[in-house]
Amino acid sequence: MSKPLISALAQFAAATAGRNMTKAAYVAVSIGVLSMVLLSDKRAHEAHDWISALLWTCLAYFVFEWLVRLRHMTQQGRLSLYMSSSAGLVDAIGALAVPVALVLGVEPRTAWLLSVLWVLKVVPGIPGLRQLRRVLVLESGPLLSVLVIFLMVVFLASVAEYFLERDVQPQTFGSVPAALWWAVVTLTTTGYGDAVPVTPLGRLVAAAVMISGLGVFGLWTGILATGFAAETRRDNFLKTWEAVSKVPFFAALGPAAIADVTHMLRTMELPARTMIIRKGAQGDCMYFIAAGEVEVDLPGKKVQLGEGAFFGEMALLGNNKRGANVSTTKVSRLLVLDLVDFRVLMARHPDLAETIDAEAKRRALENK
C-alpha cells in the first residue's frame, strides 16, 4: 500500500474519530435514508439489489465510524463517558439497530426501516439546536406551567363533554377516553370534524376549549420567542465582549467598564472593498477595528488602519460632516458606537474621552 494512501486513510480515521460529523458521514446519511425510502417502494423492485448494496455500504461506514471512535475513546480513557453520552448512544444505535433486527429474524424490508435512525447523527451538528436546548432548560418552569394548564383544560373538557354528550352521541362520547381524543384535537385547533358536539352546552364547552387552545399555544410561543431573544442577546453580548477585549484602546478598562462599553457597541461584519464612510456624509457614529483593515482616502495620500485603531470620531467631536472616504481592504469586523452612546461613554470615562480627543487633534494636524 502506497504511503499517500496510508496517509489519506490515517487522516480519514483521525477525522472520523472526532465527535463531529464529517462530509463522508453526511453523504452516508443522505444516501442511506434515501435508499431506505426507495426500498419501501414496490415500484423500485428491479433496483432492489442496488438499493440493498447502498444500504449495506452505508451501514458498513457507520459501523466503521463507531469502532474508530470506540478505539479513540479507549486510548484516551474516556470510553465510559462516550458510551453514556448522547452522541455515543446515537452512534451505537446507528451501527447496531439494523444488524440486531436482522439477527432477530425481522423481515429485511422492515429491519432496514430502522436506518431512519441515522438522521439522528446530524443533530449535534445543527448549531440552532444547542440554542434551543438552552432556551428549553432556562424556560422549563414557564413551559411546564403552561403544559399543566393544557392538561387541565383537556381533562376538564373531556369530562364535561362526556357528561353532556354521552346520551346523545354514545358512539362518539361514550367514555372519557373517547372524549379525550376530541378535547386534544379541539384544543390544538386541528379540528378533524370526526367528533362534534351537538347539544347547546356541549358546543359552548367546545367554544371555550377552542379559545383556550389559542391562548395556550400563544403562551408557549411567547415564552419561546422571549427565550430565544434573550439567548440571542446573550450570544451577541459575548461576541461583542470578546471583540472589545481584543481592542488595545479598551485594554486598560476593567471588566465593569468593558461590560458598559459592550452594551453600547454593535458588531458589523464587512467583506473586502466595502465603503464604510463617504466624504461629506452626516457623521452619526464612530468605528473601532476589532479585526481586519480599512483604508482612509485623504487628500494626496491613503492611510491604512489596522486592528485596534478607530476612525470616524472627528465628525462626532466637531464638524459632523465626514472628511474622507473610508473602505475595507479585507474582511473586517468593526465595533460601531453611535453618537448618543458616544457622548454617554465620554461622560462616564473621561480618560477615553481624552485619548479620543488627542487622537482627533493629531489626525487634524496631519490632514492639513
Side-chain angles (χ1 to χ4, degrees):
M1 188 178 293
S2 62
K3 290 184 178 181
L5 181 58
I6 295 175
S7 176
L9 289 174
Q11 292 178 359
F12 178 72
T16 303
R19 299 178 68 176
N20 295 326
M21 286 283 287
T22 61
K23 292 182 179 179
Y26 280 114
V27 172
V29 169
S30 301
I31 294 176
V33 173
L34 179 60
S35 299
M36 181 271 295
V37 172
L38 292 175
L39 187 67
S40 66
D41 191 345
K42 294 182 178 180
R43 292 173 294 180
H45 179 73
E46 295 181 357
H48 182 273
D49 293 339
W50 284 99
I51 295 173
S52 297
L54 288 173
L55 285 169
W56 279 109
T57 302
C58 294
L59 177 62
Y61 173 81
F62 292 127
V63 171
F64 166 77
E65 181 185 61
W66 184 54
L67 293 176
V68 167
R69 289 178 178 173
L70 286 176
R71 179 176 177 273
H72 178 70
M73 293 300 173
T74 301
Q75 292 175 343
Q76 293 189 341
R78 297 189 298 167
L79 179 61
S80 59
L81 180 64
Y82 168 69
M83 293 290 289
S84 59
S85 67
S86 58
L89 293 174
V90 169
D91 289 342
I93 291 172
L96 299 176
V98 175
V100 168
L102 292 172
V103 169
L104 293 177
V106 178
E107 197 267 329
R109 287 183 62 188
T110 302
W112 281 115
L113 291 177
L114 293 173
S115 60
V116 73
L117 297 173
W118 294 342
V119 299
L120 296 177
K121 299 175 73 67
V122 307
V123 171
I126 303 176
L129 289 180
R130 293 184 179 181
Q131 189 178 29
L132 175 60
R133 182 178 63 184
R134 288 197 298 267
V135 171
L136 291 176
V137 171
L138 293 174
E139 303 295 336
S140 58
L143 290 173
L144 288 175
S145 298
V146 178
L147 177 62
V148 171
I149 295 174
F150 177 88
L151 295 176
M152 288 175 59
V153 173
V154 165
F155 185 72
L156 291 173
S158 61
V159 172
E161 288 297 342
Y162 166 70
F163 174 75
L164 295 170
E165 299 285 332
R166 60 183 176 181
D167 296 330
V168 181
Q169 300 186 78
Q171 296 296 325
T172 305
F173 295 97
S175 65
V176 172
L180 275 171
W181 166 253
W182 168 87
V184 171
V185 169
T186 305
L187 190 58
T188 56
T189 68
T190 303
Y192 288 122
D194 57 338
V196 179
V198 294
T199 63
L201 288 177
R203 290 181 175 179
L204 185 62
V205 171
V209 172
M210 294 176 200
I211 295 172
S212 299
L214 294 175
V216 166
F217 284 96
L219 285 172
W220 268 328
T221 303
I223 292 169
L224 291 175
T226 303
F228 268 108
E231 194 64 27
T232 300
R233 287 196 299 270
R234 173 182 170 276
D235 289 343
N236 291 338
F237 179 84
L238 292 176
K239 291 177 182 177
T240 307
W241 175 289
E242 183 181 3
V244 169
S245 62
K246 291 180 180 178
V247 176
F249 182 77
F250 299 114
L253 297 178
I258 290 181
D260 190 23
V261 172
T262 300
H263 282 296
M264 297 181 180
L265 295 173
R266 53 189 171 88
T267 305
M268 179 184 292
E269 303 277 352
L270 295 175
R273 297 182 297 279
T274 300
M275 182 69 70
I276 306 169
I277 292 175
R278 291 188 181 276
K279 184 176 180 180
Q282 194 81 9
D284 59 355
C285 61
M286 68 174 294
Y287 303 85
F288 299 89
I289 305 174
E293 183 184 71
V294 303
E295 183 179 75
V296 183
D297 189 4
L298 297 172
K301 62 178 179 179
K302 293 184 178 181
V303 178
Q304 278 74 37
L305 300 177
E307 184 174 326
F310 58 88
F311 60 94
E313 78 290 346
M314 298 180 69
L316 304 184
L317 292 171
N319 180 18
N320 60 358
K321 297 290 184 180
R322 299 295 190 185
N325 293 327
V326 182
S327 58
T328 58
T329 58
K330 54 186 178 182
V331 177
S332 302
R333 182 188 303 115
L334 305 180
L335 302 174
V336 186
L337 182 65
D338 293 320
L339 177 59
V340 175
D341 293 328
F342 170 79
R343 291 173 178 171
V344 173
L345 183 62
M346 296 304 100
R348 291 181 180 176
H349 303 283
D351 51 338
L352 294 182
E354 292 176 3
T355 303
I356 291 177
D357 188 54
E359 180 66 14
K361 291 178 179 178
R362 185 189 68 79
R363 290 178 179 177
L365 292 174
E366 284 185 352
N367 297 341
K368 287 183 178 180

